[in-house]
Amino acid sequence: MVMKKDNHHATPGRPAAFTLIELLVVIGIIAILAAMLMPALARARQTAQRITCLNSLRQVNIALGIYANDNRGCYPPRNDTSRWPNRLYDYYGKNLKVLVCPNDPNQMSFGMSPSNNVADAAPRSYMINGWNDFFAQQIGSYDWGTVETYLLRPGTVMREAQIPQPSGTIVLGEKSHEIAPTKPGDFYMDLLENGGNDFTGVAEQSAHDATKPGSVTGGSNYAFGDGSATFMKAYTDLYPLNLWAITGTNRIAFADSPPE
């Protein structure tokens, strides 16, 4: 009996071709796997950015500590010609990259008066404590105009030793990650300026790991008076105590709970 040749078998030595259905199944599986991996990859990228930002902020805080040690325990004075990035320039190795958070899409650096100093004019994601409540208590006035004038007076400096709780007092933090032209370029976090808008809007609460921009999820990086730096969840720097304030009464008085 003569056997009929089966034309459906693959030719010897040549691999069998995939059918359209098989190709679609493979593509579907790849798509499902990619969808499963994308969130994990995004989280890994966010974590890497947060850690890089924290390391940069820690370096700036170390530079601040070295500066204070070389200047009789005093932090950089406040003025409009040589601000803290310029004062610390040599201490962080003139590496301007440490002033920038990789998660900040549009870093800006400006103030009331422009500066020709390369560090003050460089992109910057961080701002330093303005110590408003400390000096307001010293001069007996919480009026912002009066306090600002005193802050800019020659000889007005904040000393490390004047911080009662250095491990719980923020000296450096992230500023808003808004996009220009609305993005603030503040150098100082001022508790008293414009009714407290610096800590309610300029200080960034959700720079990292937020579910969406402007949310109260995620958190930001902060550096403290004892030389440490850490990531804190949104609004834990402001509530139940405002960790930008110095005195116990002001830490309570300036506390700001997260929005509903």
Side-chain angles (χ1 to χ4, degrees), residues 20-241:
L20 178 59
I21 294 178
E22 289 172 330
L23 284 172
L24 291 174
V25 170
V26 171
I27 293 171
I29 292 173
I30 293 173
I32 292 171
L33 291 173
M36 294 172 61
L37 288 173
M38 286 301 291
L41 292 173
R43 285 193 297 269
R45 182 172 178 271
Q46 289 177 350
T47 300
Q49 290 178 331
R50 171 166 53 84
I51 293 173
T52 300
C53 174
L54 182 61
N55 287 337
S56 294
L57 195 57
R58 184 177 287 115
Q59 290 183 58
V60 177
N61 199 25
I62 291 172
L64 181 64
I66 298 173
Y67 174 95
N69 187 61
D70 286 350
N71 289 272
R72 300 180 180 179
C74 297
Y75 288 134
R78 182 169 182 159
N79 62 59
D80 288 334
T81 57
S82 180
R83 303 178 179 92
W84 65 266
N86 182 63
R87 297 273 182 168
L88 304 181
Y89 189 46
D90 290 333
Y91 295 94
Y92 55 76
K94 301 181 179 179
N95 178 16
L96 296 176
K97 290 182 179 180
V98 301
L99 298 177
V100 174
C101 169
N103 198 40
D104 189 349
N106 195 10
Q107 307 90 10
M108 292 180 66
S109 189
F110 60 81
M112 293 299 293
S113 301
S115 173
N116 292 324
N117 297 317
V118 62
D120 288 347
R124 174 182 47 81
S125 303
Y126 312 117
M127 57 184 183
I128 199 169
N129 196 325
W131 314 115
N132 287 185
D133 68 312
F134 175 80
F135 291 112
Q137 196 169 58
Q138 275 200 336
I139 63 177
S141 173
Y142 280 78
D143 172 71
W144 169 240
T146 304
V147 173
E148 184 181 25
T149 299
Y150 186 80
L151 289 171
L152 295 173
R153 191 188 69 171
T156 300
V157 290
M158 184 69 189
R159 299 177 182 274
E160 285 183 305
Q162 292 172 317
I163 303 176
Q165 303 177 53
S167 63
T169 302
I170 297 171
V171 294
L172 291 156
E174 297 188 71
K175 63 186 181 69
S176 174
H177 283 195
E178 291 180 7
I179 303 298
T182 58
K183 180 179 177 64
D186 298 52
F187 283 86
Y188 304 93
M189 207 300 293
D190 293 310
L191 286 170
L192 302 178
E193 185 176 10
N194 294 326
N197 74 317
D198 277 12
F199 69 85
T200 58
V202 177
E204 179 60 73
Q205 294 297 322
S206 302
H208 306 279
D209 304 334
T211 54
K212 60 181 180 179
S215 70
V216 296
T217 58
S220 295
N221 290 318
Y222 301 91
F224 291 82
D226 64 349
S228 64
T230 189
F231 171 80
M232 297 177 64
K233 291 183 178 180
Y235 285 89
T236 53
D237 63 312
L238 301 180
Y239 189 83
L241 299 176

